[in-house]
């Protein structure tokens, strides 16, 4: 969470004071989107060398304007690797190898080991020698998808600039984490990457950094990643994208799949950065959290209320309230006594429910606090720029030290603390917040002041902290860079780089300045926490939910979109926020349902519960001081929740199969319509309606007072989940949805595996399977079901069953290794006019279900352990 009080205080005190404290690059204002057209640029020197993986070039700086915002690096090398037929790697680096690279390790991005150039390339790489520039061309249609010609390359120690041409009205998706429209070049033409603890402002830098995008041109898609963790601005301006980066190298990857489908770009991207974590089944259940559950009785009461209102609840969460003086790994002895918390989790577990709590990276420096003394003893905390003195900031518990994930000893430290803590009350998962990292003061404000916390940073206090920070120097020994105030000022909404976080002159293991790894801090914590949880429960899928993330974090953790507000704007924008995460390979994601900051309303909460019930990660979360917003607070909200969650739990086998595809192929659990229908221009900027997988279209109502949505339908037949009404696309239809409903349509041509909804995932999974067969115009349909034990990392046996309905026959084929004990008992068909279903010679009558509009055959006892067919007549 953000420290709300200080923000409110600042705003109330005087808006102009806040403004005055900001540099020229005030949040959201594009300071300088110009290209440095007059820069010297580079030329190829010597001959190109062919290498095993592609091509090597040497570059020399041209004569002309240099040192724009740093020291020009004269000699560069360009290594072009044809890594796979669809992935091209272009690395432009300083020849001396001094610039910082994203580590090739779990704390950064583990690069695939490429020894030979791939054959059968989907792309061409072309370059010009003087000035040096390059193009990436998709061979199948000769489309130039990346083109740096016409603008000089700038490569300085603290400033990199590169521009590529794009069409004037390019369709770009990505460049996040960002609160804003899903299609990226409408409103915001700068995206700034500098991890920041802030309450989801529109079009400003926030918690995560993914300098990656997918572009759709004429129905075809390609993608690109700049693998660089430094602060940067990416300008998406008419006709071009300009990268302005304050360090590192230009490490570009291009994704050019054939056929050039958007989902294939996501698959290619996650081939490189890692696939999304495979969640345990229980993580698909409903979550309830709030900041403001002041004692364990309140928490127990919420669980009771859920039950008495007949509302599903899988996992109960608590925010920092449970801690003793906000210290990690402690429980308040009066409000959350360990013995009572332990009884609580025991009871939850007996009902197949779970408990997850928040943990912040910052460790209180209170000298009598063991997690601190152990970490101090092991020497695992971040340091100042003398490489010796511990860097201390300030977070909820007061002065704090910050674990340095880059120190190899930190894993042992964190594993010990996390497992001891989890064991103490038998926790099920860890929610990691404040890991940008957030600090409430500037610099090492806590040094030498004992445990006394100063008043909230007033201007005077801030000036003192600023002076103290400056006095330590603007860099680190042996490095001439100005790390506090680099000459190029990125559009950091917080102002100077070290505001509200660790100073950029603080240091990590290996003498790495925080400047170079700031955007990796939450990523490192995600990996280290996932590994720590696995040391507590070996073999079990760890549950980590992180706020800060980087390229590839999805393989360690899920993400919630941080501190949103209980407003209609945030309800709507949660859709693009979740879609972005899907594209970045963080499938397990969602926004705080009903809104975190501010008071929600009955109407907003009813709509949000309906939509949020379909977030890949579905959690209602509220902030301190607000009115309660659990779904049972209002009868209408309870009803909307029961309606929507009964659908979620019904289609859970479908969702779980989608998560498994995210984990293996990389495709999103949620998908923008344009990714499924790239040729349909009506969907280029659509970010209210979206797809759950490729079979379910969701059309939520996200405007106050509205009770309908003008929903666009792609080509084909779309069946209303509620009553089976078929709509024939392409078309637009006004769909009515009262407060307790959300319009859901099934794509004709799909087969969806079902369960009967209960109040927990495990009770739901104990019910028999069903299938919903939604026929297309040709009377055919396809679908898939993935089954495993639902919680182990390694699986001895899994089932992956493909269903195919064609010529009046449903055939199930595939892999049937998992010893599934529940049977397939029911098949519902939408479309077609059948009266009987024949299974192994036995006839079953189909009955029309007046409510769902489907023809239903039931009473089978079909084993899902071998292939079978069902004949319809
Ligand atoms: C940024 O740092 C400079 C140099 O210490 C200082 O003058 C300026 O006020 C700082 N800006 C903000 C917004 O704090
Ligand atoms: C950007 O370029 C335009 C046109 O060349 C020029 O007028 C403007 O001053 C430049 N802006 C900055 C901030 O350099
Ligand atoms: C692409 O360009 C090459 C060379 O100009 C040409 O041989 C080829 O036919 C073109 N391919 C397409 C699909 O236009
Ligand atoms: C940049 O964004 C602003 C709104 O933030 C918009 O008015 C302007 O047209 C955009 N500029 C370009 C060149 O796209
Ligand atoms: C828990 O907190 C609530 C709200 O402050 C209070 O009404 C209740 O008495 C507390 N219960 C216990 C057991 O302390
Ligand atoms: C340090 O922690 C101990 C034990 O929780 C507590 O009694 C003490 O007040 C704390 N000291 C400070 C200065 O916060
Ligand atoms: C939320 O509602 C409570 C109770 O009515 C009120 O005390 C509080 O000020 C409200 N908060 C906001 C941000 O309006
Ligand atoms: C919403 O409509 C459904 C029928 O579609 C009806 O059963 C339900 O009572 C309505 N709820 C409200 C709050 O109007
Ligand atoms: C129906 O079959 C025709 C002929 O095989 C095919 O072209 C068309 O794509 C099919 N339609 C659907 C919706 O599958
Ligand atoms: C479904 O079965 C039919 C008939 O056996 C076959 O022609 C078709 O290719 C199958 N479709 C899929 C997607 O497997």
């Amino acid at each position: 969470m953000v420290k709300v009080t200080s923000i409110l205080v600042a705003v109330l005190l005087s808006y102009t004071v806040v403004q005055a404290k900001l540099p020229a690059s005030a949040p959201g204002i594009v300071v300088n989107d110009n290209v440095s057209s007059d820069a010297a640029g580079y030329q190829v020197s010597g001959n190109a060398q062919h290498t095993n993986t592609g091509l090597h070039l040497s570059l020399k700086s041209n004569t002309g304007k240099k040192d724009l915002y740093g020291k020009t690096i004269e000699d560069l090398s360009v290594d072009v690797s044809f890594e796979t037929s669809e992935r091209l790697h272009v690395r432009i680096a300083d020849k001396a190898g001094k610039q910082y690279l994203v580590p090739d390790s779990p704390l950064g991005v583990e690069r695939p080991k490429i020894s030979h150039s791939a054959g059968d390339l989907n792309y061409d790489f072309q370059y010009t020698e003087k000035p040096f520039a390059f193009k990436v061309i998709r061979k199948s249609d000769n489309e130039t998808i990346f083109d740096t010609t016409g603008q000089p390359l700038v490569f300085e120690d603290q400033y990199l600039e590169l521009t590529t041409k794009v069409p004037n009205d390019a369709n770009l998706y990505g460049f996040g984490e960002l609160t804003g429209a899903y299609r990226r070049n409408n409103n915001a033409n700068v995206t700034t990457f500098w991890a920041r603890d802030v309450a989801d402002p529109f079009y400003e830098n926030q918690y995560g950094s993914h300098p990656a995008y997918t572009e759709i041109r004429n129905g075809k898609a390609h993608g690109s990643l700049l693998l660089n963790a430094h602060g940067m601005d990416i300008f998406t301006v008419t006709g071009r994208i300009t990268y302005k980066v304050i360090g590192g190298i230009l490490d570009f990857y291009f994704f050019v799949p054939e056929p050039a489908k958007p989902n294939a770009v996501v698959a290619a991207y996650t081939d490189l950065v890692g696939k999304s974590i495979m969640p345990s089944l229980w993580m698909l259940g409903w979550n309830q959290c709030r900041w403001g559950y002041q004692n364990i009785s309140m928490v127990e009461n919420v669980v009771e209320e859920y039950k008495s209102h007949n509302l599903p609840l899988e996992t109960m969460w608590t925010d920092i309230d449970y801690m003793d003086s906000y210290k990690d790994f402690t429980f308040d002895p009066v409000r959350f006594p360990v013995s009572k918390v332990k009884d609580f989790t025991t009871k939850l577990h007996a009902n197949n429910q779970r408990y997850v709590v928040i943990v912040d990276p910052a460790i209180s420096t209170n000298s009598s606090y063991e997690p601190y003394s152990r970490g101090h003893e092991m020497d695992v905390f971040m340091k100042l720029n003398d490489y010796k003195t511990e860097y201390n900031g300030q977070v909820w518990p007061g002065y704090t030290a910050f674990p340095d994930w880059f120190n190899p000893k930190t894993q042992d430290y964190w594993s010990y603390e996390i497992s001891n803590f989890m064991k103490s009350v038998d926790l099920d998962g860890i929610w990691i917040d404040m890991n940008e990292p957030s600090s409430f003061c500037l610099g090492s404000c806590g040094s030498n002041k004992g445990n006394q916390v100063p008043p909230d940073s007033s201007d005077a206090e801030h000036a003192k902290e600023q002076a103290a920070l400056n006095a330590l120097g603007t860099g680190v020994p042996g490095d001439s860079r100005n790390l506090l105030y680099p000459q190029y000022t990125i559009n950091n909404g917080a102002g100077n780089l070290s505001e509200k976080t660790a100073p950029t002159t603080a240091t990590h293991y290996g003498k790495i300045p925080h400047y170079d790894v700031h955007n990796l801090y939450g990523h490192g914590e995600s990996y280290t926490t996932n590994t720590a949880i696995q040391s507590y429960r070996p073999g079990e899928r760890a549950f980590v939910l992180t706020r800060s993330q980087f390229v590839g974090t999805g393989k360690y953790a899920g993400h919630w979109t941080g501190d949103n507000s209980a407003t209609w704007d945030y309800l709507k924008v949660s859709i693009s926020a979740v879609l972005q995460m899907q594209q970045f390979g963080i499938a397990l994601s969602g926004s705080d349902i009903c809104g975190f900051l501010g008071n929600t309303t009955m109407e907003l909460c009813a709509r949000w519960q309906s939509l949020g019930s379909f977030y890949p990660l579905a959690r209602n979360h509220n902030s301190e001081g607000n009115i309660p917003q659990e779904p049972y607070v209002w009868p209408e909200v309870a009803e909307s929740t029961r309606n929507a969650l009964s659908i979620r739990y019904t289609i859970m086998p479908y969702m779980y199969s989608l998560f498994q595809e995210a984990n293996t192929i990389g495709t999103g659990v949620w998908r923008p319509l344009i990714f499924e229908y790239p040729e349909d221009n009506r969907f280029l900027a659509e970010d209210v309606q979206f797809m759950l997988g490729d079979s379910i279209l969701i059309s939520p109502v996200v405007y106050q007072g509205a009770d309908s949505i003008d929903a666009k339908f792609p080509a084909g037949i779309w069946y209303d989940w509620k009553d089976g009404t078929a709509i024939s696309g392409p078309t637009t239809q006004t769909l009515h949805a009262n407060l307790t409903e959300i319009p859901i349509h099934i794509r004709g041509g799909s087969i969806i595996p079902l369960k009967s909804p209960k109040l927990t995932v495990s009770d739901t999974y104990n019910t028999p399977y069903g299938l919903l067969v939604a026929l297309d115009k040709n009377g055919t349909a396809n679908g898939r079901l993935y089954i495993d034990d639902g919680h182990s990392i390694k699986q001895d046996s899994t089932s992956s069953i493909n269903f195919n309905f064609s010529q009046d026959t449903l055939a199930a084929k595939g892999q049937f290794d998992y010893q599934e004990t529940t049977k397939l008992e029911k098949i519902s068909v939408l479309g077609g006019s059948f009266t009987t279903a024949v299974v192994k010679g036995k006839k079953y009558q189909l009955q029309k279900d007046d409510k769902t509009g489907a023809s239903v055959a039931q009473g089978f006892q079909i084993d899902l352990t071998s292939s079978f067919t069902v004949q319809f007549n």
Side-chain angles (χ1 to χ4, degrees):
M1 70 207 71
V2 281
K3 197 180 184 195
V4 186
T5 46
S6 63
I7 288 179
L8 292 179
V9 169
V11 171
L12 291 178
L13 275 179
S14 156
Y15 189 63
T16 48
V17 170
V18 177
Q19 288 287 307
K21 273 168 77 175
L22 293 172
S25 55
I29 295 169
V30 177
V31 174
N32 181 2
D33 65 6
N34 284 356
V35 177
S36 306
S37 313
D38 54 350
Y42 286 81
Q43 61 179 289
V44 174
S45 78
N47 293 327
Q49 289 158 24
H50 289 276
T51 62
N52 282 343
T53 55
L55 196 66
H56 174 86
L57 304 170
S58 293
L59 303 186
K60 248 200 156 1
S61 173
N62 287 330
T63 51
K65 191 170 172 195
K66 299 194 185 189
D67 300 348
L68 271 54
Y69 298 99
K71 273 207 296 278
T72 293
I73 297 177
E74 296 287 333
D75 295 300
L76 305 181
S77 53
V78 180
D79 285 286
V80 181
S81 301
F82 307 117
E83 294 196 347
T84 72
S85 60
E86 59 181 13
R87 186 174 76 235
L88 168 66
H89 183 189
V90 178
R91 172 179 282 194
I92 307 175
D94 56 316
K95 196 153 241 172
K98 291 204 170 117
Q99 296 286 99
Y100 187 81
L101 268 57
V102 173
D104 186 358
S105 84
L107 298 166
V109 172
E110 292 171 284
R111 323 295 202 271
K113 306 286 169 279
I114 307 292
S115 53
H116 290 282
S117 165
D120 205 12
L121 305 177
N122 296 342
Y123 50 80
D124 259 343
F125 173 84
Q126 297 178 357
Y127 65 95
T128 57
E129 296 205 331
K130 189 176 179 184
F132 169 75
F134 71 92
K135 287 185 187 180
V136 180
I137 297 161
R138 180 170 50 219
K139 281 182 182 167
S140 61
D141 58 357
N142 284 341
E143 185 73 22
T144 302
I145 58 173
F146 204 85
D147 182 359
T148 76
T149 58
Q151 297 299 349
L153 163 68
V154 181
F155 205 116
E156 302 175 348
D157 59 349
Q158 286 187 279
Y159 186 69
L160 313 173
E161 184 183 311
L162 181 131
T163 294
T164 176
K165 293 172 189 158
V166 290
N168 280 352
D169 195 20
N171 303 301
L172 303 175
Y173 307 95
F175 290 146
E177 175 178 31
L178 183 112
T179 302
Y182 186 60
R183 180 173 176 269
R184 282 310 316 285
N185 47 338
N186 281 340
N187 197 2
N189 28 38
V190 60
T191 312
T192 300
F193 295 90
W194 188 253
R196 173 179 172 219
D197 172 10
V198 66
D200 289 355
F202 279 71
Y203 301 111
E204 286 184 27
N205 57 313
Q206 51 192 66
Y207 321 108
S209 307
H210 304 265
Y213 70 92
T214 294
E215 186 191 341
I216 299 181
R217 256 185 235 176
N218 306 318
K220 293 189 167 183
H222 60 268
S224 163
L225 162 70
L226 172 57
L227 184 51
N228 179 306
H230 283 85
M232 69 178 87
D233 283 337
I234 299 178
F235 293 92
T236 44
V237 183
T238 305
R240 64 179 160 88
I241 301 172
T242 298
Y243 297 85
K244 301 188 180 187
V245 190
I246 60 172
I249 65 164
L250 293 169
D251 210 1
F252 277 101
Y253 289 87
F254 301 96
F255 308 99
V256 194
E258 289 292 352
K261 301 279 189 205
N263 288 323
V265 174
V266 182
Y269 176 74
T270 49
D271 279 346
L272 176 71
V273 309
K275 305 293 175 186
S276 193
I277 197 167
M278 182 67 198
S280 291
L281 259 175
W282 64 265
M283 301 171 195
L284 274 60
W286 179 259
N287 300 281
Q288 180 64 53
C289 184
R290 92 160 285 176
W291 178 18
Y293 289 142
Q294 289 161 13
N295 53 46
I296 189 72
S297 333
M298 279 181 88
V299 179
E300 285 168 334
N301 182 54
V302 172
V303 177
E304 287 307 312
E305 292 280 7
Y306 261 92
K307 197 170 172 188
S308 65
H309 287 85
N310 207 29
L311 286 158
L313 174 66
E314 190 75 6
T315 303
M316 199 58 212
W317 299 52
T318 43
D319 206 311
I320 55 174
D321 310 280
Y322 76 85
M323 298 178 182
D324 177 12
S325 310
Y326 301 128
K327 292 200 284 284
D328 275 351
F329 315 123
T330 65
F331 287 91
D332 185 279
V334 177
R335 295 174 302 104
F336 285 87
V338 170
S339 63
K340 285 219 172 132
V341 177
K342 183 83 202 299
D343 290 347
F344 172 65
T345 54
T346 304
K347 203 168 149 200
L348 283 180
H349 293 165
N351 294 327
N352 294 307
Q353 292 171 308
R354 314 276 166 170
Y355 187 42
V356 169
V357 302
I358 199 167
V359 167
D360 295 330
I363 297 294
S364 163
T365 55
N366 183 321
S367 51
S368 61
Y369 170 56
E370 287 185 3
Y372 174 69
S373 37
R374 279 192 290 263
H376 185 76
E377 189 83 357
M378 289 176 80
D379 198 21
V380 294
F381 295 124
M382 284 171 66
K383 302 291 191 316
L384 290 178
N385 55 354
D386 60 2
Y387 304 121
K388 289 199 294 272
T389 314
E390 208 166 84
Y391 153 58
N392 288 167
Q394 192 199 126
V395 192
W396 305 110
Y399 294 122
T400 53
F402 292 75
D404 175 10
W405 315 114
F406 293 93
N407 186 326
K409 285 182 294 186
T410 305
Q411 182 67 66
D412 281 349
Y413 167 66
W414 201 245
S415 292
Y416 179 83
E417 302 301 337
I418 290 276
S419 31
N420 263 2
F421 176 55
M422 292 185 81
K423 198 173 352 174
S424 69
V425 295
D426 205 6
L427 290 171
D428 296 290
I430 298 288
W431 167 28
I432 52 178
D433 193 18
M434 308 297 277
N435 54 358
E436 292 67 33
S438 176
S439 172
F440 302 155
C441 61
L442 180 62
S444 201
C445 53
S447 304
N448 310 316
K449 287 185 193 166
N451 284 324
Q452 194 67 47
V453 178
D456 252 0
S457 38
S458 59
D459 282 355
E461 177 63 29
H462 185 267
K464 252 199 284 174
E465 291 169 2
Q466 182 102 53
L469 177 63
N470 291 345
L472 295 177
T474 58
V476 296
D479 185 337
S480 60
R481 293 177 299 168
N482 184 332
L483 304 174
L484 284 183
Y485 312 109
Q487 285 185 57
Y488 180 77
T489 314
I490 59 168
N491 284 270
N492 177 20
N496 287 326
L497 295 178
S498 307
E499 291 291 345
K500 300 201 165 107
T501 187
T504 44
T505 48
T507 56
H508 295 261
Y509 182 83
K511 302 195 170 175
I512 307 166
H514 188 66
Y515 180 91
D516 291 318
V517 295
H518 173 75
N519 286 338
L520 293 172
Y521 193 83
H523 180 72
E525 189 189 10
S526 299
Y527 168 73
T528 309
T529 306
N530 186 306
T531 308
I533 296 176
Q534 285 185 50
S535 76
Y536 170 53
R537 288 207 173 126
E540 291 289 304
R541 296 173 199 160
F543 180 71
V544 183
L545 189 71
T546 182
R547 191 166 73 182
S548 187
Q549 1 79 50
F550 184 70
V551 173
T553 301
K555 62 179 181 251
Y556 312 132
H559 171 65
W560 91 107
T561 65
D563 298 352
N564 65 2
S565 292
T567 68
W568 290 87
D569 281 346
Y570 279 99
L571 166 63
K572 175 170 185 277
V573 85
S574 73
I575 300 167
S576 16
V578 170
L579 289 174
Q580 263 183 20
M581 288 301 141
Q582 305 296 304
Q583 175 183 344
F584 298 144
I586 308 183
L588 190 64
S589 55
S591 289
D592 284 350
I593 295 167
C594 296
F596 178 67
L597 299 170
N599 287 327
T600 197
T601 64
M602 183 278 283
E603 184 191 357
L604 176 61
C605 195
R607 292 295 182 199
W608 212 324
Q609 289 282 124
S610 298
L611 171 63
S613 290
F614 297 94
Y615 287 156
L617 178 93
R619 185 185 72 159
N620 178 312
H621 182 35
N622 193 1
S623 172
E624 198 183 36
N626 295 327
I627 57 169
Q629 63 182 33
E630 292 81 9
Y632 49 78
V633 171
W634 303 270
E636 297 89 338
V637 177
E639 193 185 334
S640 102
T641 306
R642 278 188 292 264
N643 287 346
L645 282 183
S646 79
I647 305 174
R648 181 186 180 97
Y649 282 54
T650 300
I651 62 171
M652 204 162 268
Y654 170 72
M655 285 190 80
Y656 190 60
S657 305
L658 289 175
F659 272 106
Q660 192 260 347
E661 285 161 29
N663 178 246
T664 50
I665 303 165
T667 40
V669 172
W670 273 27
R671 300 175 194 172
L673 273 153
I674 194 66
F675 278 29
E676 286 294 311
Y677 300 94
E679 275 108 18
D680 193 334
N681 288 341
R682 294 178 305 157
F683 297 132
L684 284 169
E686 179 58 52
D687 56 13
V688 172
Q689 289 181 274
F690 61 92
M691 300 288 297
L692 179 58
D694 66 358
S695 300
I696 297 181
L697 170 64
I698 301 190
S699 309
V701 173
V702 294
Y703 301 106
Q704 183 171 15
D707 63 359
S708 66
I709 171 172
D710 291 334
K712 299 191 275 279
F713 289 87
I717 305 182
W718 296 87
Y719 299 95
D720 193 328
W721 173 274
K722 206 169 60 170
D723 58 12
T725 309
I727 289 173
S728 186
T731 187
T732 300
Q733 291 225 349
T734 302
L735 307 173
H736 180 80
N738 71 23
L739 254 193
T740 62
E741 299 169 317
I742 178 166
I744 308 255
H745 289 80
I746 309 299
R747 178 177 58 81
S750 39
I751 299 179
I752 300 181
L754 310 173
K755 287 281 186 184
S756 297
K758 301 287 174 205
L759 298 184
T760 62
V761 172
S762 91
D763 284 353
T764 302
Y765 255 69
N766 283 334
T767 67
Y769 276 99
L771 287 178
L772 176 61
V773 178
L775 297 175
D776 63 16
K777 288 179 175 132
N778 295 346
T780 65
N782 287 284
R784 177 174 178 267
L785 169 63
Y786 172 77
I787 313 176
D788 65 12
D789 76 0
H791 60 91
S792 303
I793 294 172
K794 286 214 175 71
Q795 297 288 335
D796 297 333
S797 56
T798 63
S799 291
S800 173
I801 308 173
N802 295 308
F803 301 106
N804 176 355
F805 192 105
S806 132
Q807 295 166 347
D808 303 347
T809 306
L810 173 76
K813 292 185 188 146
Q815 177 193 323
F816 292 86
D817 297 338
Y818 186 76
Q819 284 309 303
E820 178 56 41
T821 51
T822 64
K823 315 278 184 194
L824 172 62
E825 291 197 5
K826 179 171 165 180
I827 300 175
S828 307
V829 184
L830 289 165
S833 51
F834 305 111
T835 52
T836 56
V838 182
V839 182
K840 288 191 178 151
K842 190 166 173 210
K843 260 192 192 171
Y844 297 82
Q845 294 298 319
L846 269 74
Q847 306 282 341
K848 180 97 172 182
D849 180 332
D850 287 334
K851 212 166 141 259
T852 65
S855 302
V856 182
Q858 52 193 326
F860 322 119
Q861 288 285 317
I862 301 176
D863 270 325
L864 288 169
T865 49
S866 60
S867 57
F868 62 88
T869 59
V870 182
Q871 176 69 45
F872 288 82
N873 298 297

